[in-house]
């Protein structure tokens, strides 16, 4: 039994090795643009890494299928060089440097999340390699005065203001809010931003609890929040945290009028995992498949992107996946605009970009962070996401728990 | 002993020369090599010489990184921060050693594991000082990329050389002799007049000071530190694997182990994108099952066989 | 009133912790092996329950037996093929070996199942019931009951069967047991198998509570560690007491000092305990 | 004669068991004292108490007038109390020379490693292990390992040497060698406490004998008198009968 199992495993390794090896060989024959993508393919962030990879892959495939990228009178094939940094930030930094110096990549996609993007950007800045961050929203990433870093997610306040507006304007009875935040870069930053937005609206914060990374039980926090009788529970964290929090809220009888969770509900696996308990959870995402833009990028309209996504992966993309694909599409726009693959020229072209894509309007602020997106607010209903804001793409009204 | 010094000087000179001429990525690898060598050599003080299976390397490393990071952000000069990080780690080790060095075997191993977890949680929950889960940025050095990479290589190299020199001196010293006795039979050692408690504490302190400094240099080098990274359990396990690879309780074993592990890691990371952890696991399994005394034992066995023929 | 809820939360959590730790404690106590694989075994049990539910509609509580059986075979094989070869080596060696096997297994799960968090959604989950405004989640209570039942079964297996007596003999004195005609290697493999069985069964039980992912394994392992040291090695009652204590402690600690400090508190307590009573609260005296 | 070692009502309990119970006696400078008793009488435990391996539960132990009851093992070793182990305990991964050098280095007042090795060589010559200096301790025969223990003890430059069954398992020729050695050591002015089962050895070597039984001292006197003491005879015979029926306690 053991031997058979081992041999199966070994076969799998061998196949994986062969595929990877052949991919590398195939890429080198033609005139190519190489884009480095350090990703967390293993370790705690592996699910996020997988999403980004899907986005990048779809872009590279689409770009190549449409004849590659034209610049400088030549046609380039796109090749993405991956590197697994195993959810270990300095590994990501190291990987970024290796890609630049050894693999000679022309451009870089930043690793996952604000922290790692910030860390890796110091390398690409030093080498002058344009870098696009698809999953970094915290303003601290972009306020370092770097010239070569661009981000496709708007600052955290853009995801807290709209939902604060909608909830308070729709239901005057919602006054007391309990916040439960993961003690981690992005979740904590968003929670603190939310606290500010809510206080500005005159709401009462009856509890602000933080839970440690890797917490396996939220009963103490939930019990405490229940004692404060909130009308609205705002929880931040990653998918696994939020699934467990939702379940324990239900078990321990914490039943507010509104439950908002960031950033899990945008992901399919959240809806699948929570099942009926996911119903009516509201959330915010930087992008939603229901938005409609007429893009000038390689994907074209949002509908076309959705179709391409469905053809390759079945189903709809979430914001992280779309943002990764958008990062590629935006990079391509920059290269084509610069009509060159010279890093400096592409950097200048990206900085002056003002164009509509399937992902939304793309215009980077002076810090390099995108400023032109309107992150939609949505709610889970019947396992599907229903957009409730902005008005233009609204699919329904925000519902409250009874 | 003389031979040890010659090897050390030649090795250091070779790495220095290689580094000076190599490109930045190669320099980065050499820097990691020196860091690994420092960690492995340091672990050998407590784990190899004294025979106490310590997993505190991660604790000392993280403590050093954060001490230096926090102090640098207060505006202290970088070299001073590195020194203070080493000192802080050593003092911490001596204090904590007083509490846990009476434990043996498993219990000691767990206690050291827990220390790293504790420190990690403490950092996580003190965001005002350490940045908490958000991580901590260190001041960027305003010097060119090429110079920077060489400066950090030099720093790590010096640290690795000092650590190895300490190991050479230790081996032929009263302390080293006493530690070897403790490793083989602690109660018999006490009866012979070895102050086991004091010696173990000294070894624990020695295993911390250079690791703390390595953590500090590392923090300055990567510019950004976060708890899951600098308190990573792998930082505690890798030195052990390196020492096992190279041969336990020897002087150059840990360095050979560091080279081999780094080479394997590079190879595996490049070629097995999603299964590198498994590949590392396979290496560990093979090592434990077939080469428990390190690669050197393989060479020795071979030469012994040849001698017989 | 809220304190009763906190206490109830703690006890329910503690029962799970006990169940997570009991197999780990057995292996550690009898074989003198710190089994780093334990967390991965638990996750594997959860996956078995998950797939059994998804493809055959089998209730996770029924899968407890399937998962236990599969994991037993796996544990038996791993011990016979690998760990038995170095069982007499120092702790460091066996620990490193299980760490290596864990890297392989966990990575294999990651490749096979992906890191996505999955969750079993029972069509008719047991409701929470409310007693004097204390909420008791139905499936947690049920899981707790089953966990206790398993633990008691293990206890009797060790006390009242030949296999159990052989295991205890090996635990007390390996050489003497060998002299008395016990096939020590086989007993080792059975013991490791039982440890894995308990892990697998626990995994199936908690699949109704926790999201499932290979990434959870280290968290489970960490809890098992703490519980073992709290309760003392190699003792079923010790694991039980240690688990309950840890659960209650985390629950009250989280309530008083904020959830982010719960883990720090439990580790702090552990260090103090290691310093004061390295044998654990119940000490170690044979596996009973 | 001056008193070198004095035990005053020394007791030690393990759990509920009185391993050593209210034992008092003195050892004079230059004396060779025999310590006898059936298995489980507490002889080795008593040595462990004197050398600080276990602390005494009550009572006091004075060495050269100084209270050493609460001192730790290594401190006592440095005062000049050396012992050998009943079950020999060499450092297996060290050479014979290194094994002996440890004693010289940590308790024998050697000024450094070089000095320690030089001293160790002398002791090895004396104990007849001069030809095995570079062998690993684990490769020695039992007889040689016993002598290695003796050499280690001597390297500590002891004022009091406690020999715990150094002759057990040796043939009669080896025993004669060992006894000659012990007498030579005593002639150099080292006080000796010797634990031994073989009465022949006791009669020919010890100047005085203390007998223990179930942790209690039952006799103290010159060898002939102690061996004729009815309580001693009963202890030995009684324990033999007991051993035949239920096995002796260890």
């Amino acid at each position: 039994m053991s031997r058979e199992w081992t041999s199966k495993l070994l076969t799998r390794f061998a196949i994986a090795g062969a595929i990877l090896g052949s991919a590398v060989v195939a890429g080198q024959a033609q005139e190519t643009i190489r884009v480095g993508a350090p990703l967390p393919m293993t370790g705690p962030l592996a699910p996020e890494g997988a999403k980004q990879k899907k986005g990048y892959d779809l872009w590279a495939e689409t770009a190549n299928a449409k004849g590659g990228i034209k610049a400088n009178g030549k046609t380039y094939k796109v090749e993405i060089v991956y590197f697994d940094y195993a959810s270990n930030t300095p590994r990501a930094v190291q990987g970024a440097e290796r890609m630049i110096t050894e693999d000679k990549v022309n451009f870089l996609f930043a690793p996952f999340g604000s922290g790692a993007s910030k860390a890796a950007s110091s390398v690409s800045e030093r080498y002058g390699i344009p870098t696009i961050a698809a999953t970094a929203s915290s303003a601290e990433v972009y306020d370092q005065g770097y010239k070569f870093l661009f981000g496709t997610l708007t600052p955290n306040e853009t995801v807290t203001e709209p939902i604060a507006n909608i909830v308070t304007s729709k239901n005057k009875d919602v006054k007391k809010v309990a916040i439960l935040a993961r003690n981690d870069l992005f979740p904590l930053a968003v929670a603190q931003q939310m606290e500010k937005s809510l206080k500005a609206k005159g709401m009462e914060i009856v509890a602000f609890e933080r839970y440690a990374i890797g917490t396996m039980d939220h009963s103490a926090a939930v019990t405490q929040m229940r004692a404060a009788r909130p009308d609205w529970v705002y929880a931040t964290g990653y998918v696994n945290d939020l699934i467990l929090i939702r379940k324990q809220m239900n078990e321990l009888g914490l039943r507010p009028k509104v439950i908002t969770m960031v950033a899990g509900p945008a992901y399919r696996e959240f809806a699948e995992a929570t099942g009926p308990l996911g119903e009516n959870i509201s959330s915010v995402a930087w992008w939603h498949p229901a938005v409609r833009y007429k893009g000038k990028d390689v994907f074209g309209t949002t509908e076309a992107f959705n179709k391409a996504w469905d053809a390759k992966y079945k189903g709809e993309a979430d914001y992280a996946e779309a943002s990764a694909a958008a990062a590629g599409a935006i990079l391509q726009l920059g290269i084509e605009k610069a009509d060159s693959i010279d890093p400096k020229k592409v950097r200048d072209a990206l900085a002056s970009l003002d164009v509509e894509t399937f992902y939304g309007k793309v215009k980077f602020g002076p810090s390099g962070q995108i400023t032109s997106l309107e992150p939609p607010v949505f709610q889970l209903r019947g396992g599907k996401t229903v957009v409730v804001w902005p008005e233009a793409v609204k699919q329904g009204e925000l519902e409250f728990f009874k | 002993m003389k031979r040890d010094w010659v090897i050390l000087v030649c090795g250091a000179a070779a790495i220095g020369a290689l580094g000076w001429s190599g490109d930045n990525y190669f320099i980065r690898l050499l820097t990691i090599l020196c860091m690994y060598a420092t960690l492995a050599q340091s672990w050998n003080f407590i784990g190899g010489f004294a025979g106490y299976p310590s997993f505190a390397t991660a604790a000392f490393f993280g403590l050093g990184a954060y001490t230096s990071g926090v102090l640098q952000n207060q505006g202290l000069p970088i070299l001073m921060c590195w020194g203070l990080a080493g000192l802080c780690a050593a003092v911490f080790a001596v204090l904590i050693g007083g509490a846990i060095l009476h434990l043996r075997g498993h219990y000691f191993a767990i206690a050291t594991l827990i220390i790293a977890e504790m420190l990690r949680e403490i950092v996580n929950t003190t965001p005002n000082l350490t940045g908490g889960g958000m991580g901590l940025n260190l001041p960027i050095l305003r010097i060119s990329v090429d110079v920077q990479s060489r400066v950090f290589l030099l720093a790590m190299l010096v640290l690795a050389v000092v650590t190895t020199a300490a190991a050479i001196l230790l081996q032929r010293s009263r302390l080293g002799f006493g530690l070897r006795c403790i490793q083989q039979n602690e109660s018999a050692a006490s009866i012979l007049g070895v102050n086991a408690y004091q010696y173990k504490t000294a070894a624990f302190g020695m295993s911390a000071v250079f690791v703390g400094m390595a953590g500090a240099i590392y923090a300055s080098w990567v510019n950004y530190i976060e708890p899951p990274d600098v308190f990573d359990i792998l930082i505690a396990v890798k030195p052990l694997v390196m020492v096992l690879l190279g041969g336990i309780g020897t002087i150059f074993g840990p360095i050979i182990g560091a080279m081999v592990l780094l080479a394997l890691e590079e190879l595996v990371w490049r070629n097995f994108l999603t299964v590198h952890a498994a590949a590392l696991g396979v290496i560990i399994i093979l090592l434990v099952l077939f080469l428990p005394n390190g690669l050197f034992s393989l060479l020795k066995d071979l030469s012994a066989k040849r001698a017989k023929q | 009133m809220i304190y009763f809820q906190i206490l109830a939360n703690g006890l329910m959590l503690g029962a799970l912790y006990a169940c997570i730790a009991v197999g780990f404690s057995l292996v550690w106590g009898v074989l003198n092996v710190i089994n780093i694989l334990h967390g991965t075994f638990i996750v594997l049990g959860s996956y078995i329950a998950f797939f059994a539910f998804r493809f055959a509609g089998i209730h996770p509580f029924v899968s407890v037996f399937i998962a236990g059986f599969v994991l037993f075979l796996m544990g038996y094989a791993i011990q016979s093929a690998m760990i038995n070869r170095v069982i007499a080596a120092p702790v460091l060696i066996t620990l490193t070996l299980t760490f290596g096997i864990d890297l392989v297994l966990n990575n294999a799960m990651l490749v096979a199942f992906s890191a996505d968090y999955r969750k079993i959604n029972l069509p008719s989950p047991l409701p929470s019931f409310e007693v004097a405004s204390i909420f008791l989640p139905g499936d947690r209570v049920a899981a707790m009951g089953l966990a206790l039942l398993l633990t008691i079964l293990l206890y009797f297996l060790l006390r009242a069967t030949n296999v159990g007596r052989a295991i205890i003999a090996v635990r007390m004195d390996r050489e003497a047991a060998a002299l008395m005609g016990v096939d020590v290697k086989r007993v080792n493999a059975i013991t490791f198998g039982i440890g894995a069985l308990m892990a697998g069964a626990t995994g199936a039980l908690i699949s109704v509570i926790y999201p499932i992912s290979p990434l959870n394994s280290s968290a489970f392992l960490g809890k098992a560690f703490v519980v073992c040291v709290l309760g003392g090695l190699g003792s079923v009652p010790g694991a039980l007491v240690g688990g309950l204590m840890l659960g209650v402690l985390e629950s009250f600690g989280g309530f008083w000092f904020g959830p982010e400090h719960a883990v720090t508190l439990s580790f702090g307590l552990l260090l103090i305990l290691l310093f004061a009573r390295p044998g654990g609260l119940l000490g170690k005296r044979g596996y009973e | 004669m001056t008193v070198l070692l004095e035990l005053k009502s020394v007791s030690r309990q393990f759990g509920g068991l009185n391993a050593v119970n209210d034992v008092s006696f003195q050892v004079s400078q230059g004396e060779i004292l025999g310590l006898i008793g059936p298995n489980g009488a507490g002889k080795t435990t008593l040595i462990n108490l004197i050398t600080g391996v276990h602390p005494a539960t009550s009572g006091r132990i004075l060495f050269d007038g100084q209270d050493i009851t609460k001192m730790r093992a290594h401190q006592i070793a440095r005062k000049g109390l050396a012992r050998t182990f009943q079950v020999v305990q060499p450092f297996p991964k060290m050479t014979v020379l290194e094994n002996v050098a440890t004693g010289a280095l940590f308790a024998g007042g050697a000024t450094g490693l070089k000095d320690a090795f030089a001293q160790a060589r002398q002791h090895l010559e004396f104990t007849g292990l001069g030809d095995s200096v570079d062998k690993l301790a684990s490769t020695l025969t039992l007889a040689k390992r016993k002598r290695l223990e003796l050499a280690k003890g001597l390297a500590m430059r002891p004022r009091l040497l406690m020999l715990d069954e150094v002759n057990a398992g040796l043939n009669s020729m080896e025993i004669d060698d060992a006894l000659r050695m012990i007498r030579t050591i005593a002639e150099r002015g080292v006080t000796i406490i010797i634990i031994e089962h073989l009465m022949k050895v006791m009669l020919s070597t010890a100047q005085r004998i203390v007998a223990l039984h179930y942790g209690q001292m039952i006799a103290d006197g010159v060898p002939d008198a102690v061996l004729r003491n009815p309580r001693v005879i009963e202890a030995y015979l009684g324990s033999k009968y007991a051993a035949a029926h239920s096995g002796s306690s260890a």
Side-chain angles (χ1 to χ4, degrees), chain C residues 52-66:
Chain C
F53 178 74
R54 168 169 283 186
F55 296 115
I58 298 171
H59 193 282
F61 289 166
V62 179
S63 298
V64 164
F65 301 98
I66 306 171

Side-chain angles (χ1 to χ4, degrees), chain B residues 99-100 102-103, chain C residues 229 268-281:
Chain B
I100 62 169
H102 70 286
L103 303 170
Chain C
V229 179
L269 177 89
L270 197 59
L271 271 188
I272 294 168
L273 202 78
L274 269 176
F275 181 58
R277 284 205 65 158
L281 286 179

